[in-house]
Amino acid sequence: MPRILSVWCPNWPITTWRRRNPCGKSGDTGPSSPSGGGGCAGSGGGKASPDAPFALLISEHGTRRLAAVDETARALGLSAGQKAADALALVPNLVTADHDPAADRAALEALCDWCVRFSPAVAIDGDDGLLLDITGTDHLWGGEAAMLVDLVGRLARWGVPARAAIADTAGAAWALARFGARYGDDLAIAPPGQQRAAIQDLPVAALRLEDAAEAQLPRLGLHRVGQLFALPRAQLAKRFGLALTLRLDQALGMAAEALTFRRPATPWFDRLAFFEPISAPEDLARVTGDALDLICARLEAEGRGAKRFEVVFHRLDGKAYPVRAGLARIGRDAKRLTRLLVPKLDKVDPGFGIEVVTVHAGGVEALAAAQERLDDEAGNNLDETLAPLIDRLVNRLGENRVWRADPFESHVPERSVVRVAPLDPPAAAQWDPDRPRPVRLFKRPEAITAMAKVPDDPPVQFTWRGRSHRVRHAEGPERIGQEWWRAGTGEQDTGPGKVRDYYRVEDEAGGRFWIYRQGLFGGDEAPKWWIHGLFG
């Protein structure tokens, strides 16, 4: 049975603005503060009293309106959507600032990333909430109630008021978080299978209905969700649309609801929590190995391996520092992975301490146990020998900087080579031994000047990058025309002027070059010489 935790942060724009503009106050900034911010400036440019009513403004069609108001302003009769001029007339001491939706979204995404300590599957819910799939993770906190208390308590310490609820469905959890918190002041838990009873006394607005349906239902005397249970579904759908019955079914678990998680949901996740925060480099290295031992043991138990591993260090202030490693071949050797990750730990700033470490495995595939060699003469295959070296190079230089050149079916030299991962399966196409290609093929051919005894002969001398080369041996020509089927696609031009005659030449110093003459004599333009690669 799935369990969904809904987190709602009432008045999120006001909360995030105050955290970005702490009025000179210092302290822990928590997970939801994006970079930026400054002094606490209100209308008139001065600092506002913390007890003064406050509102955020937004411009709509040339009119300044209230985007959000705090509790003090709401108690004085102000609300979102009012014109700023009317609001200031009612409350002359109203302090205002510009609303920044992009900063609010960035803060919510940061909060979403922070919540990965509670579940690897976290989705952003609207503009002020989150949904966590906590199936099978609540035991790490001693139960669902303890998890809720810990989550909401941490947010409260960072100045982020929040309400949270747990139910079998996202719809029921959403409704309880906003309209039915009963466990403590801001928490609610619906026992498994009891979401119908949990939401029946809530207002119909708890069903996440469209505005028209939400306004019309109370006019007909339908104020509570439970009143809808006894009504015929066909009549509800006919009167209010299928959206109402769908929301009702989603809340009760009779219809599926897909959640878009910020990080793709994966069962290959584990965590370590510490009684005391750690910060010493040797401690970080040790817990990195411990976390990888956990995930690799699970992979081995199920006969699987992974290509990507990520260890995330969560600080006391909620900031997370991920450290990643990739493998050329799927594996589950914790010691080898630890050696790849430890050199990257210098990027982790422990601050006042690391309290939680999470580990994720990606690209999980089946991995059969390898037979150990039975004698000293038996050896590993080439791929197994190269894999550790490739892993070190990739993790040090970057994934895009270590690759293998494979042949591709094309006559044009620059199209006949593709980059693939070093240990990918060999391509179906093979290199043609009768048409050798240079070890180094230039991304773009470079112009040269050349002299030949007769027009169609190979050059006897050429100049490249200001240096003259006298040709001692030459082989060719190998004529290559452009691929006529690409004509008209805008990818390349075709015609006699694009025909290439390639030569493999060696100069007196022993250097071997791949040069070509483009064009035919007697055409509109004189042929030109180019160098396209080096053989050694």
Side-chain angles (χ1 to χ4, degrees), residues 335-369:
K335 292 183 179 179
R336 176 174 158 197
L337 289 164
T338 302
R339 289 195 295 269
L340 295 176
L341 286 174
V342 166
K344 299 182 179 182
L345 296 182
D346 57 350
K347 300 178 181 179
V348 176
D349 178 11
F352 290 105
I354 303 294
E355 61 173 345
V356 174
V357 171
T358 57
V359 58
H360 307 260
V364 177
E365 302 176 21
L367 176 63

PDB file of all heavy atoms in Angstrom, residues 335-369:
ATOM      1  N   LYS A 335      34.565  -0.739  -2.662  1.00  0.00           N
ATOM      2  CA  LYS A 335      35.909  -0.213  -2.450  1.00  0.00           C
ATOM      3  C   LYS A 335      36.400   0.557  -3.675  1.00  0.00           C
ATOM      4  O   LYS A 335      37.011   1.624  -3.555  1.00  0.00           O
ATOM      5  CB  LYS A 335      36.863  -1.365  -2.137  1.00  0.00           C
ATOM      6  CG  LYS A 335      36.594  -2.031  -0.786  1.00  0.00           C
ATOM      7  CD  LYS A 335      37.608  -3.110  -0.506  1.00  0.00           C
ATOM      8  CE  LYS A 335      37.353  -3.764   0.858  1.00  0.00           C
ATOM      9  NZ  LYS A 335      38.333  -4.855   1.140  1.00  0.00           N
ATOM     10  N   ARG A 336      36.124   0.028  -4.852  1.00  0.00           N
ATOM     11  CA  ARG A 336      36.533   0.709  -6.076  1.00  0.00           C
ATOM     12  C   ARG A 336      35.791   2.035  -6.223  1.00  0.00           C
ATOM     13  O   ARG A 336      36.375   3.063  -6.605  1.00  0.00           O
ATOM     14  CB  ARG A 336      36.244  -0.208  -7.260  1.00  0.00           C
ATOM     15  CG  ARG A 336      36.527   0.383  -8.623  1.00  0.00           C
ATOM     16  CD  ARG A 336      36.333  -0.712  -9.647  1.00  0.00           C
ATOM     17  NE  ARG A 336      36.076  -0.200 -10.963  1.00  0.00           N
ATOM     18  CZ  ARG A 336      35.562  -0.914 -11.960  1.00  0.00           C
ATOM     19  NH1 ARG A 336      35.246  -2.175 -11.740  1.00  0.00           N
ATOM     20  NH2 ARG A 336      35.372  -0.398 -13.136  1.00  0.00           N
ATOM     21  N   LEU A 337      34.498   2.052  -5.911  1.00  0.00           N
ATOM     22  CA  LEU A 337      33.725   3.285  -5.999  1.00  0.00           C
ATOM     23  C   LEU A 337      34.211   4.310  -4.985  1.00  0.00           C
ATOM     24  O   LEU A 337      34.260   5.514  -5.276  1.00  0.00           O
ATOM     25  CB  LEU A 337      32.246   2.975  -5.774  1.00  0.00           C
ATOM     26  CG  LEU A 337      31.546   2.220  -6.905  1.00  0.00           C
ATOM     27  CD1 LEU A 337      30.219   1.640  -6.415  1.00  0.00           C
ATOM     28  CD2 LEU A 337      31.308   3.135  -8.093  1.00  0.00           C
ATOM     29  N   THR A 338      34.573   3.844  -3.802  1.00  0.00           N
ATOM     30  CA  THR A 338      35.072   4.765  -2.776  1.00  0.00           C
ATOM     31  C   THR A 338      36.349   5.450  -3.248  1.00  0.00           C
ATOM     32  O   THR A 338      36.537   6.654  -3.036  1.00  0.00           O
ATOM     33  CB  THR A 338      35.327   4.006  -1.470  1.00  0.00           C
ATOM     34  OG1 THR A 338      34.109   3.369  -1.050  1.00  0.00           O
ATOM     35  CG2 THR A 338      35.792   4.947  -0.370  1.00  0.00           C
ATOM     36  N   ARG A 339      37.231   4.697  -3.906  1.00  0.00           N
ATOM     37  CA  ARG A 339      38.465   5.301  -4.425  1.00  0.00           C
ATOM     38  C   ARG A 339      38.176   6.365  -5.477  1.00  0.00           C
ATOM     39  O   ARG A 339      38.938   7.323  -5.630  1.00  0.00           O
ATOM     40  CB  ARG A 339      39.369   4.210  -5.008  1.00  0.00           C
ATOM     41  CG  ARG A 339      39.987   3.297  -3.967  1.00  0.00           C
ATOM     42  CD  ARG A 339      41.135   2.497  -4.554  1.00  0.00           C
ATOM     43  NE  ARG A 339      40.682   1.581  -5.590  1.00  0.00           N
ATOM     44  CZ  ARG A 339      40.307   0.326  -5.380  1.00  0.00           C
ATOM     45  NH1 ARG A 339      40.314  -0.171  -4.146  1.00  0.00           N
ATOM     46  NH2 ARG A 339      39.923  -0.446  -6.372  1.00  0.00           N
ATOM     47  N   LEU A 340      37.073   6.206  -6.219  1.00  0.00           N
ATOM     48  CA  LEU A 340      36.727   7.204  -7.226  1.00  0.00           C
ATOM     49  C   LEU A 340      36.129   8.457  -6.600  1.00  0.00           C
ATOM     50  O   LEU A 340      36.320   9.564  -7.114  1.00  0.00           O
ATOM     51  CB  LEU A 340      35.728   6.605  -8.231  1.00  0.00           C
ATOM     52  CG  LEU A 340      36.231   5.456  -9.108  1.00  0.00           C
ATOM     53  CD1 LEU A 340      35.093   4.912  -9.960  1.00  0.00           C
ATOM     54  CD2 LEU A 340      37.377   5.905 -10.000  1.00  0.00           C
ATOM     55  N   LEU A 341      35.404   8.297  -5.500  1.00  0.00           N
ATOM     56  CA  LEU A 341      34.685   9.421  -4.918  1.00  0.00           C
ATOM     57  C   LEU A 341      35.509  10.222  -3.908  1.00  0.00           C
ATOM     58  O   LEU A 341      35.314  11.435  -3.778  1.00  0.00           O
ATOM     59  CB  LEU A 341      33.406   8.928  -4.245  1.00  0.00           C
ATOM     60  CG  LEU A 341      32.268   8.513  -5.184  1.00  0.00           C
ATOM     61  CD1 LEU A 341      31.115   7.920  -4.400  1.00  0.00           C
ATOM     62  CD2 LEU A 341      31.784   9.701  -5.997  1.00  0.00           C
ATOM     63  N   VAL A 342      36.390   9.560  -3.181  1.00  0.00           N
ATOM     64  CA  VAL A 342      37.131  10.247  -2.119  1.00  0.00           C
ATOM     65  C   VAL A 342      37.898  11.463  -2.648  1.00  0.00           C
ATOM     66  O   VAL A 342      37.905  12.522  -2.006  1.00  0.00           O
ATOM     67  CB  VAL A 342      38.059   9.258  -1.384  1.00  0.00           C
ATOM     68  CG1 VAL A 342      39.074   9.996  -0.523  1.00  0.00           C
ATOM     69  CG2 VAL A 342      37.221   8.321  -0.509  1.00  0.00           C
ATOM     70  N   PRO A 343      38.567  11.408  -3.828  1.00  0.00           N
ATOM     71  CA  PRO A 343      39.260  12.613  -4.314  1.00  0.00           C
ATOM     72  C   PRO A 343      38.334  13.794  -4.578  1.00  0.00           C
ATOM     73  O   PRO A 343      38.793  14.937  -4.658  1.00  0.00           O
ATOM     74  CB  PRO A 343      39.927  12.133  -5.614  1.00  0.00           C
ATOM     75  CG  PRO A 343      40.062  10.656  -5.455  1.00  0.00           C
ATOM     76  CD  PRO A 343      38.865  10.233  -4.685  1.00  0.00           C
ATOM     77  N   LYS A 344      37.024  13.556  -4.696  1.00  0.00           N
ATOM     78  CA  LYS A 344      36.090  14.646  -4.973  1.00  0.00           C
ATOM     79  C   LYS A 344      35.508  15.263  -3.708  1.00  0.00           C
ATOM     80  O   LYS A 344      34.729  16.216  -3.787  1.00  0.00           O
ATOM     81  CB  LYS A 344      34.940  14.133  -5.851  1.00  0.00           C
ATOM     82  CG  LYS A 344      35.383  13.591  -7.200  1.00  0.00           C
ATOM     83  CD  LYS A 344      34.188  13.143  -8.027  1.00  0.00           C
ATOM     84  CE  LYS A 344      34.621  12.622  -9.392  1.00  0.00           C
ATOM     85  NZ  LYS A 344      33.461  12.236 -10.217  1.00  0.00           N
ATOM     86  N   LEU A 345      35.851  14.725  -2.548  1.00  0.00           N
ATOM     87  CA  LEU A 345      35.258  15.210  -1.309  1.00  0.00           C
ATOM     88  C   LEU A 345      35.749  16.595  -0.920  1.00  0.00           C
ATOM     89  O   LEU A 345      35.176  17.229  -0.037  1.00  0.00           O
ATOM     90  CB  LEU A 345      35.535  14.226  -0.167  1.00  0.00           C
ATOM     91  CG  LEU A 345      34.899  12.838  -0.316  1.00  0.00           C
ATOM     92  CD1 LEU A 345      35.209  11.979   0.898  1.00  0.00           C
ATOM     93  CD2 LEU A 345      33.397  12.945  -0.520  1.00  0.00           C
ATOM     94  N   ASP A 346      36.811  17.085  -1.570  1.00  0.00           N
ATOM     95  CA  ASP A 346      37.278  18.433  -1.237  1.00  0.00           C
ATOM     96  C   ASP A 346      36.278  19.495  -1.681  1.00  0.00           C
ATOM     97  O   ASP A 346      36.350  20.655  -1.251  1.00  0.00           O
ATOM     98  CB  ASP A 346      38.647  18.696  -1.864  1.00  0.00           C
ATOM     99  CG  ASP A 346      38.634  18.511  -3.380  1.00  0.00           C
ATOM    100  OD1 ASP A 346      37.618  17.998  -3.903  1.00  0.00           O
ATOM    101  OD2 ASP A 346      39.629  18.860  -4.037  1.00  0.00           O
ATOM    102  N   LYS A 347      35.292  19.111  -2.518  1.00  0.00           N
ATOM    103  CA  LYS A 347      34.256  20.048  -2.944  1.00  0.00           C
ATOM    104  C   LYS A 347      33.121  20.142  -1.928  1.00  0.00           C
ATOM    105  O   LYS A 347      32.233  20.981  -2.081  1.00  0.00           O
ATOM    106  CB  LYS A 347      33.689  19.629  -4.301  1.00  0.00           C
ATOM    107  CG  LYS A 347      34.724  19.591  -5.416  1.00  0.00           C
ATOM    108  CD  LYS A 347      34.096  19.127  -6.715  1.00  0.00           C
ATOM    109  CE  LYS A 347      35.142  19.053  -7.842  1.00  0.00           C
ATOM    110  NZ  LYS A 347      34.538  18.569  -9.101  1.00  0.00           N
ATOM    111  N   VAL A 348      33.131  19.265  -0.931  1.00  0.00           N
ATOM    112  CA  VAL A 348      32.056  19.243   0.070  1.00  0.00           C
ATOM    113  C   VAL A 348      32.429  20.177   1.213  1.00  0.00           C
ATOM    114  O   VAL A 348      33.466  20.007   1.854  1.00  0.00           O
ATOM    115  CB  VAL A 348      31.821  17.820   0.596  1.00  0.00           C
ATOM    116  CG1 VAL A 348      30.768  17.817   1.701  1.00  0.00           C
ATOM    117  CG2 VAL A 348      31.403  16.895  -0.542  1.00  0.00           C
ATOM    118  N   ASP A 349      31.598  21.183   1.438  1.00  0.00           N
ATOM    119  CA  ASP A 349      31.792  22.104   2.561  1.00  0.00           C
ATOM    120  C   ASP A 349      30.904  21.638   3.705  1.00  0.00           C
ATOM    121  O   ASP A 349      29.682  21.818   3.658  1.00  0.00           O
ATOM    122  CB  ASP A 349      31.425  23.522   2.136  1.00  0.00           C
ATOM    123  CG  ASP A 349      31.549  24.527   3.279  1.00  0.00           C
ATOM    124  OD1 ASP A 349      32.118  24.161   4.332  1.00  0.00           O
ATOM    125  OD2 ASP A 349      31.073  25.664   3.111  1.00  0.00           O
ATOM    126  N   PRO A 350      31.464  21.046   4.763  1.00  0.00           N
ATOM    127  CA  PRO A 350      30.615  20.494   5.824  1.00  0.00           C
ATOM    128  C   PRO A 350      29.947  21.547   6.695  1.00  0.00           C
ATOM    129  O   PRO A 350      29.011  21.237   7.433  1.00  0.00           O
ATOM    130  CB  PRO A 350      31.588  19.643   6.643  1.00  0.00           C
ATOM    131  CG  PRO A 350      32.920  20.255   6.399  1.00  0.00           C
ATOM    132  CD  PRO A 350      32.889  20.793   4.999  1.00  0.00           C
ATOM    133  N   GLY A 351      30.407  22.801   6.632  1.00  0.00           N
ATOM    134  CA  GLY A 351      29.791  23.836   7.439  1.00  0.00           C
ATOM    135  C   GLY A 351      29.860  23.484   8.926  1.00  0.00           C
ATOM    136  O   GLY A 351      30.914  23.149   9.466  1.00  0.00           O
ATOM    137  N   PHE A 352      28.691  23.532   9.579  1.00  0.00           N
ATOM    138  CA  PHE A 352      28.627  23.171  10.993  1.00  0.00           C
ATOM    139  C   PHE A 352      28.435  21.666  11.196  1.00  0.00           C
ATOM    140  O   PHE A 352      28.274  21.220  12.336  1.00  0.00           O
ATOM    141  CB  PHE A 352      27.486  23.935  11.680  1.00  0.00           C
ATOM    142  CG  PHE A 352      27.750  25.404  11.812  1.00  0.00           C
ATOM    143  CD1 PHE A 352      27.115  26.310  10.986  1.00  0.00           C
ATOM    144  CD2 PHE A 352      28.658  25.878  12.749  1.00  0.00           C
ATOM    145  CE1 PHE A 352      27.363  27.668  11.094  1.00  0.00           C
ATOM    146  CE2 PHE A 352      28.909  27.234  12.863  1.00  0.00           C
ATOM    147  CZ  PHE A 352      28.267  28.134  12.040  1.00  0.00           C
ATOM    148  N   GLY A 353      28.453  20.912  10.112  1.00  0.00           N
ATOM    149  CA  GLY A 353      28.400  19.470  10.247  1.00  0.00           C
ATOM    150  C   GLY A 353      27.444  18.816   9.269  1.00  0.00           C
ATOM    151  O   GLY A 353      26.481  19.425   8.810  1.00  0.00           O
ATOM    152  N   ILE A 354      27.745  17.564   8.944  1.00  0.00           N
ATOM    153  CA  ILE A 354      26.899  16.732   8.084  1.00  0.00           C
ATOM    154  C   ILE A 354      26.090  15.817   8.990  1.00  0.00           C
ATOM    155  O   ILE A 354      26.657  15.091   9.816  1.00  0.00           O
ATOM    156  CB  ILE A 354      27.743  15.899   7.106  1.00  0.00           C
ATOM    157  CG1 ILE A 354      28.631  16.817   6.243  1.00  0.00           C
ATOM    158  CG2 ILE A 354      26.862  15.008   6.258  1.00  0.00           C
ATOM    159  CD1 ILE A 354      27.884  17.706   5.299  1.00  0.00           C
ATOM    160  N   GLU A 355      24.758  15.827   8.824  1.00  0.00           N
ATOM    161  CA  GLU A 355      23.920  15.006   9.690  1.00  0.00           C
ATOM    162  C   GLU A 355      23.342  13.788   8.979  1.00  0.00           C
ATOM    163  O   GLU A 355      22.971  12.810   9.626  1.00  0.00           O
ATOM    164  CB  GLU A 355      22.777  15.832  10.265  1.00  0.00           C
ATOM    165  CG  GLU A 355      21.839  16.417   9.218  1.00  0.00           C
ATOM    166  CD  GLU A 355      20.638  17.089   9.841  1.00  0.00           C
ATOM    167  OE1 GLU A 355      20.390  16.856  11.044  1.00  0.00           O
ATOM    168  OE2 GLU A 355      19.942  17.847   9.135  1.00  0.00           O
ATOM    169  N   VAL A 356      23.237  13.825   7.657  1.00  0.00           N
ATOM    170  CA  VAL A 356      22.668  12.710   6.895  1.00  0.00           C
ATOM    171  C   VAL A 356      23.459  12.561   5.602  1.00  0.00           C
ATOM    172  O   VAL A 356      23.862  13.553   4.988  1.00  0.00           O
ATOM    173  CB  VAL A 356      21.176  12.950   6.569  1.00  0.00           C
ATOM    174  CG1 VAL A 356      20.645  11.851   5.649  1.00  0.00           C
ATOM    175  CG2 VAL A 356      20.341  12.984   7.838  1.00  0.00           C
ATOM    176  N   VAL A 357      23.685  11.305   5.218  1.00  0.00           N
ATOM    177  CA  VAL A 357      24.297  10.985   3.929  1.00  0.00           C
ATOM    178  C   VAL A 357      23.353  10.047   3.193  1.00  0.00           C
ATOM    179  O   VAL A 357      22.910   9.037   3.751  1.00  0.00           O
ATOM    180  CB  VAL A 357      25.679  10.330   4.101  1.00  0.00           C
ATOM    181  CG1 VAL A 357      26.188   9.810   2.765  1.00  0.00           C
ATOM    182  CG2 VAL A 357      26.670  11.317   4.683  1.00  0.00           C
ATOM    183  N   THR A 358      23.003  10.402   1.966  1.00  0.00           N
ATOM    184  CA  THR A 358      22.172   9.528   1.140  1.00  0.00           C
ATOM    185  C   THR A 358      22.983   9.047  -0.052  1.00  0.00           C
ATOM    186  O   THR A 358      23.906   9.732  -0.510  1.00  0.00           O
ATOM    187  CB  THR A 358      20.915  10.260   0.648  1.00  0.00           C
ATOM    188  OG1 THR A 358      21.307  11.444  -0.080  1.00  0.00           O
ATOM    189  CG2 THR A 358      20.033  10.656   1.813  1.00  0.00           C
ATOM    190  N   VAL A 359      22.631   7.886  -0.567  1.00  0.00           N
ATOM    191  CA  VAL A 359      23.337   7.308  -1.706  1.00  0.00           C
ATOM    192  C   VAL A 359      22.299   6.787  -2.695  1.00  0.00           C
ATOM    193  O   VAL A 359      21.283   6.206  -2.310  1.00  0.00           O
ATOM    194  CB  VAL A 359      24.294   6.177  -1.258  1.00  0.00           C
ATOM    195  CG1 VAL A 359      23.554   5.077  -0.531  1.00  0.00           C
ATOM    196  CG2 VAL A 359      25.063   5.608  -2.447  1.00  0.00           C
ATOM    197  N   HIS A 360      22.550   7.063  -3.974  1.00  0.00           N
ATOM    198  CA  HIS A 360      21.651   6.656  -5.043  1.00  0.00           C
ATOM    199  C   HIS A 360      22.460   5.861  -6.071  1.00  0.00           C
ATOM    200  O   HIS A 360      23.621   6.170  -6.338  1.00  0.00           O
ATOM    201  CB  HIS A 360      21.030   7.864  -5.749  1.00  0.00           C
ATOM    202  CG  HIS A 360      20.358   8.832  -4.828  1.00  0.00           C
ATOM    203  ND1 HIS A 360      19.007   8.859  -4.638  1.00  0.00           N
ATOM    204  CD2 HIS A 360      20.868   9.806  -4.024  1.00  0.00           C
ATOM    205  CE1 HIS A 360      18.708   9.809  -3.772  1.00  0.00           C
ATOM    206  NE2 HIS A 360      19.814  10.406  -3.392  1.00  0.00           N
ATOM    207  N   ALA A 361      21.807   4.868  -6.656  1.00  0.00           N
ATOM    208  CA  ALA A 361      22.403   4.104  -7.750  1.00  0.00           C
ATOM    209  C   ALA A 361      21.533   4.279  -8.983  1.00  0.00           C
ATOM    210  O   ALA A 361      20.307   4.160  -8.911  1.00  0.00           O
ATOM    211  CB  ALA A 361      22.510   2.625  -7.382  1.00  0.00           C
ATOM    212  N   GLY A 362      22.143   4.584 -10.106  1.00  0.00           N
ATOM    213  CA  GLY A 362      21.421   4.779 -11.360  1.00  0.00           C
ATOM    214  C   GLY A 362      21.960   3.866 -12.442  1.00  0.00           C
ATOM    215  O   GLY A 362      23.086   3.367 -12.369  1.00  0.00           O
ATOM    216  N   GLY A 363      21.155   3.669 -13.466  1.00  0.00           N
ATOM    217  CA  GLY A 363      21.553   2.767 -14.547  1.00  0.00           C
ATOM    218  C   GLY A 363      21.717   1.337 -14.060  1.00  0.00           C
ATOM    219  O   GLY A 363      22.680   0.657 -14.421  1.00  0.00           O
ATOM    220  N   VAL A 364      20.763   0.881 -13.234  1.00  0.00           N
ATOM    221  CA  VAL A 364      20.850  -0.452 -12.632  1.00  0.00           C
ATOM    222  C   VAL A 364      20.460  -1.512 -13.665  1.00  0.00           C
ATOM    223  O   VAL A 364      19.435  -1.383 -14.337  1.00  0.00           O
ATOM    224  CB  VAL A 364      19.949  -0.546 -11.389  1.00  0.00           C
ATOM    225  CG1 VAL A 364      19.971  -1.941 -10.809  1.00  0.00           C
ATOM    226  CG2 VAL A 364      20.391   0.473 -10.341  1.00  0.00           C
ATOM    227  N   GLU A 365      21.297  -2.537 -13.779  1.00  0.00           N
ATOM    228  CA  GLU A 365      21.048  -3.643 -14.699  1.00  0.00           C
ATOM    229  C   GLU A 365      21.433  -4.949 -14.018  1.00  0.00           C
ATOM    230  O   GLU A 365      22.121  -4.953 -12.987  1.00  0.00           O
ATOM    231  CB  GLU A 365      21.865  -3.480 -15.988  1.00  0.00           C
ATOM    232  CG  GLU A 365      21.608  -2.188 -16.750  1.00  0.00           C
ATOM    233  CD  GLU A 365      22.516  -2.061 -17.954  1.00  0.00           C
ATOM    234  OE1 GLU A 365      23.031  -3.109 -18.413  1.00  0.00           O
ATOM    235  OE2 GLU A 365      22.724  -0.935 -18.427  1.00  0.00           O
ATOM    236  N   ALA A 366      20.977  -6.031 -14.621  1.00  0.00           N
ATOM    237  CA  ALA A 366      21.346  -7.348 -14.096  1.00  0.00           C
ATOM    238  C   ALA A 366      22.845  -7.556 -14.264  1.00  0.00           C
ATOM    239  O   ALA A 366      23.428  -7.199 -15.290  1.00  0.00           O
ATOM    240  CB  ALA A 366      20.569  -8.439 -14.825  1.00  0.00           C
ATOM    241  N   LEU A 367      23.475  -8.142 -13.257  1.00  0.00           N
ATOM    242  CA  LEU A 367      24.912  -8.395 -13.285  1.00  0.00           C
ATOM    243  C   LEU A 367      25.159  -9.756 -12.667  1.00  0.00           C
ATOM    244  O   LEU A 367      24.974  -9.948 -11.457  1.00  0.00           O
ATOM    245  CB  LEU A 367      25.674  -7.315 -12.517  1.00  0.00           C
ATOM    246  CG  LEU A 367      27.188  -7.516 -12.386  1.00  0.00           C
ATOM    247  CD1 LEU A 367      27.844  -7.489 -13.766  1.00  0.00           C
ATOM    248  CD2 LEU A 367      27.811  -6.450 -11.497  1.00  0.00           C
ATOM    249  N   ALA A 368      25.550 -10.700 -13.503  1.00  0.00           N
ATOM    250  CA  ALA A 368      25.823 -12.039 -13.008  1.00  0.00           C
ATOM    251  C   ALA A 368      27.150 -12.046 -12.271  1.00  0.00           C
ATOM    252  O   ALA A 368      28.071 -11.281 -12.584  1.00  0.00           O
ATOM    253  CB  ALA A 368      25.853 -13.033 -14.172  1.00  0.00           C
ATOM    254  N   ALA A 369      27.259 -12.931 -11.290  1.00  0.00           N
ATOM    255  CA  ALA A 369      28.514 -13.071 -10.548  1.00  0.00           C
ATOM    256  C   ALA A 369      29.603 -13.585 -11.466  1.00  0.00           C
ATOM    257  O   ALA A 369      29.393 -14.494 -12.268  1.00  0.00           O
ATOM    258  CB  ALA A 369      28.317 -14.017  -9.373  1.00  0.00           C
TER     259      ALA A 369
END
